[in-house]
Amino acid sequence: MAKLKTQFTAVDVEEFINNLDNEQKKKDSFELIELMEKATGEKAKMFGPTIIGFGQYHYKYASGHEGDAPLLGFSPRKAAISLYVTTGCDDQKQYLEGLGKYKMAKACIYIKKLDDINIEVLNKIMKESIEFVSSKYERIIHK
């Protein structure tokens, strides 16, 4: 089986954020860390070179493809902050109307800044994602 390209790393999360050029993205990143650590009960950890992940689960698809991924995560990219907080399941669609100003890909929400979205709604989406992933895949708990 091919080795996964994106894996958890030992890169310091705070150092990664402090090296960002955009002050708004730095501020939003630290706030997102607080929100996602509270939601998962897990500390922030780099997943690949640019994704900050929280918690971990092991997935295995019918195709045989398997690997580890964060329960929640985000990436403060140049164009937008990518929020990896949705599963794409229908249960979450009800919340998206009240989320605020965002764009969406398959299971990724893009925002310009945290002030553009409703944090209470984001918390509901994160909670739903954690419950869905935890019921479907093996969650890896770090002590």
Side-chain angles (χ1 to χ4, degrees):
M1 180 177 11
K3 189 172 179 170
L4 293 174
K5 292 179 185 177
T6 309
Q7 298 183 8
F8 288 94
T9 71
V11 173
D12 184 82
V13 172
E14 198 169 315
E15 186 177 320
F16 169 75
I17 293 170
N18 285 327
N19 283 322
L20 296 173
D21 292 338
N22 184 305
E23 290 303 316
Q24 182 66 49
K25 282 199 174 60
K26 283 183 192 180
K27 177 186 168 292
D28 288 349
S29 292
F30 285 118
E31 192 171 334
L32 282 166
I33 286 173
E34 230 176 89
L35 291 169
M36 291 185 182
E37 283 183 349
K38 185 176 180 186
T40 62
E42 300 271 355
K43 291 288 183 194
K45 191 170 182 183
M46 293 303 298
F47 184 67
T50 62
I51 297 172
I52 300 167
F54 303 82
Q56 186 176 348
Y57 70 95
H58 185 80
Y59 62 86
K60 185 171 185 175
Y61 299 138
S63 66
H65 178 78
E66 65 181 294
D68 293 332
L71 282 172
L72 300 176
F74 73 94
S75 182
R77 302 187 193 276
K78 191 170 226 132
I81 297 172
S82 301
L83 301 175
Y84 303 103
V85 297
T86 63
T87 61
C89 67
D90 288 338
D91 292 351
Q92 293 179 327
K93 290 180 182 167
Q94 63 180 325
Y95 298 120
L96 294 175
E97 275 185 33
L99 183 59
K101 191 175 170 184
Y102 70 94
K103 291 185 180 177
M104 185 145 186
K106 187 174 183 179
C108 182
I109 295 171
Y110 301 102
I111 62 170
K112 293 289 184 187
K113 59 185 187 290
L114 215 45
D115 287 343
D116 287 343
I117 62 169
N118 182 323
I119 299 302
E120 194 174 305
V121 173
L122 176 62
N123 280 321
K124 288 178 184 176
I125 292 170
M126 292 189 301
K127 182 179 182 277
E128 287 277 334
S129 288
I130 292 167
E131 288 173 5
F132 176 82
V133 170
S134 297
S135 71
K136 189 169 170 120
Y137 302 106
E138 176 191 351
R139 184 167 173 188
I140 300 166
I141 306 293
H142 297 279
K143 297 288 177 189

